[in-house]
Amino acid sequence: MTDPLGPQGRRVIPVALAGRSYEVVIGRALLSEIGPRFAGLKPAAKAAVVADPTVARHYGPMVLDSLAVAGVKASLIEVPSGEGAKSFDGLEALCDALLAAKVERRDGVIALGGGVVGDLAGLAAGLIKRGVDFIQAPTTLLAQVDSSVGGKTAIDTRAGKNLVGLFHQPRLVLADLDTLTTLPPREVRAGLAEVVKYGLIGDAPFFAWCTREARALNTLSPSALSHAVGVSVAAKAAIVAADETEMGQRALLNLGHTFGHAIELLSGMDGSVLHGEAVAIGMGLAFDVSVALDLCPAPDAHAVRAGLAQLGLPLAVPEPVRRQGVDAFLAAMAQDKKNEAGRLTLILARGIGQAFVIKDAPVDKVAAHLQLSVFGTHPL
Ligand SMILES: NC(=O)c1ccc[n+]([C@@H]2O[C@H](COP(=O)([O-])OP(=O)(O)OC[C@H]3O[C@@H](n4cnc5c(N)ncnc54)[C@H](O)[C@@H]3O)[C@@H](O)[C@H]2O)c1
Ligand SMILES: [Zn+2]
């Protein structure tokens, strides 16, 4: 494999959105450049860096130093870690803190952390003073390959995940691969679910590469990692550029997510199942349902399960979710934002790399399959 980062050790992927275009920069030691990059984008502006306590401890000083050296006045605002921070209470507390830090319309917010901080800080940035600019500095694999790119921001509500939010595009995404060295292995694996998703959606050779390189990816081999992040971001950037507000093909990025969100919701969104883990289980279910509906050859679904297992990802619906039964599961799936006029929208597949959106999925058949294979007495 040629070095995917090129001679400068950087890969720059544009997200082409007319007046709101921006770059995703992938490479090493990028956080130490955040000061000059921020100052270049927003001359004479202040920065509010938002991070959870773990990320603030690991990377807060480096980011604040870089901003100070570049002459940028900055404050660090800590938010609680975990999905629970993506709540109305969490949003209110963060907006209050940003206003207390005197963030003005022309200033900028830096979301330093995983998808939780990116979603929450991005939403707060989109709301305060009717919208201020923000930069994504993603520090989890999941955030680097998925949540930091594309401008979706949100909090969760009682009714489900990500139901209150805005499209608010960042001005820049800095994906510093060095930050992944401190990420717990379980979080790395969860991020790999979203990496592999791009292969399953539309790039069968990339899926095969991911399963072949499972060990290298899990052990954070620099060349495997930079290839995986580069391919994933390029795939996401292309889809977002073609369909920013998810009127069509952007929905493909939700492969496994309708099932996955139901799993997250029914497990109480308490961190017992990570988002990427739920997505992995959901992608397995999406392929199984595709086979049950005679849309997809069975060997493809077997290969998906084998590949996910190879990467160390879970496949079985957790017991506490199974115990709640198929009706509760379907009700949780029905909360999905993709559903229109009470019809179930699903992302299914005709094979590996051939995902498609089905707007009126046959609920009875999907329910019967889930009852038989997941919720029956002899689940898979
Ligand atoms: N906006 C989108 O398009 C989009 C897409 C996918 C997922 N999401 C959202 O992303 C969230 C999940 O994000 P996540 O998986 O990044 O989880 P996360 O943000 O909760 O981070 C996971 C954990 O890793 C820790 N952490 C982060 N970076 C670290 C580092 N470099 N070293 C050590 N510890 C570190 C955090 O403190 C946290 O405890 C979900 O809320 C999901 O809904 C959003
Ligand atoms: Zn996801």
Side-chain angles (χ1 to χ4, degrees):
M1 197 197 322
T2 53
D3 183 358
L5 292 185
Q8 261 69 52
R10 297 275 190 277
R11 180 160 175 195
V12 179
I13 297 172
V15 183
L17 290 169
R20 280 161 296 105
S21 299
Y22 54 95
E23 290 180 338
V24 182
V25 185
I26 301 164
R28 303 195 170 270
L30 284 174
L31 285 186
S32 57
E33 296 175 13
I34 202 163
R37 287 180 182 272
F38 181 94
L41 273 176
K42 300 195 62 68
K46 296 194 297 298
V49 182
V50 181
D52 73 14
T54 310
V55 174
R57 181 163 45 83
H58 283 298
Y59 302 109
M62 189 187 297
V63 168
L64 292 176
D65 282 356
S66 175
L67 289 163
V69 169
V72 179
K73 285 206 178 101
S75 49
L76 176 69
I77 298 173
E78 285 198 16
V79 295
S81 56
E83 189 68 29
K86 280 176 56 177
S87 62
F88 278 111
D89 285 352
L91 178 65
E92 183 181 15
L94 177 55
C95 288
D96 281 345
L98 289 168
L99 296 172
K102 306 244 177 308
V103 172
E104 300 294 340
R105 180 72 189 76
R106 66 192 183 92
D107 293 332
V109 170
I110 296 175
L112 175 67
V116 163
V117 164
D119 281 10
L120 177 66
L123 178 56
L127 290 172
I128 57 163
K129 308 278 169 102
R130 299 199 176 86
V132 303
D133 284 347
F134 86 116
I135 288 179
Q136 289 271 19
T139 62
T140 64
L141 181 56
L142 181 140
Q144 295 191 351
V145 299
D146 191 358
S147 60
S148 64
V149 180
K152 279 191 182 178
T153 73
I155 54 169
D156 307 327
T157 78
R158 227 171 270 121
K161 276 189 49 100
N162 298 328
L163 292 179
V164 171
L166 288 173
F167 284 100
H168 185 48
Q169 299 291 345
R171 292 287 310 278
L172 172 70
V173 181
L174 278 186
D176 186 339
L177 299 171
D178 284 343
T179 61
L180 303 180
T181 54
T182 53
L183 197 61
R186 187 178 169 200
E187 297 286 351
V188 173
R189 286 194 295 276
L192 289 174
E194 304 275 12
V195 169
V196 129
K197 182 184 77 177
Y198 296 104
L200 296 179
I201 291 172
D203 189 346
F206 182 58
F207 174 74
W209 179 87
C210 289
T211 56
R212 254 194 337 268
E213 299 294 327
R215 208 184 122 68
L217 289 167
N218 264 304
T219 53
L220 301 179
S221 136
S223 61
L225 207 57
S226 55
H227 181 67
V229 175
V231 171
S232 301
V233 169
K236 178 139 192 193
I239 291 180
V240 167
D243 178 21
E244 181 181 5
T245 56
E246 199 166 314
M247 305 309 284
Q249 64 157 303
R250 184 164 179 175
L252 293 175
L253 294 170
N254 288 310
L255 177 66
H257 281 60
T258 307
F259 299 104
H261 283 164
I263 291 167
E264 288 181 90
L265 189 60
L266 296 184
S267 26
M269 297 199 285
D270 59 357
S272 57
V273 184
L274 300 181
H275 175 75
E277 293 172 341
V279 168
I281 300 166
M283 291 191 297
L285 289 176
F287 272 81
D288 287 349
V289 166
S290 301
V291 172
L293 297 178
D294 282 330
L295 296 164
C296 173
D300 283 40
H302 290 307
V304 170
R305 287 188 166 271
L308 293 170
Q310 195 95 20
L311 288 157
L313 286 160
L315 295 168
V317 174
E319 190 52 31
V321 174
R322 251 172 38 77
R323 271 204 302 272
Q324 296 174 59
V326 74
D327 291 340
F329 195 73
L330 287 167
M333 284 174 64
Q335 301 282 352
D336 198 89
K337 290 187 296 306
K338 289 185 293 302
N339 297 323
E340 288 166 16
R343 298 182 310 170
L344 179 65
T345 298
L346 283 179
I347 317 304
L348 298 178
R350 296 196 175 84
I352 291 172
Q354 299 172 62
F356 67 98
V357 183
I358 175 164
K359 290 247 172 199
D360 206 351
V363 181
D364 291 355
K365 286 186 183 169
V366 173
H369 171 75
L370 290 174
Q371 175 60 32
L372 195 68
S373 64
V374 178
F375 292 92
T377 41
H378 300 293
L380 285 177

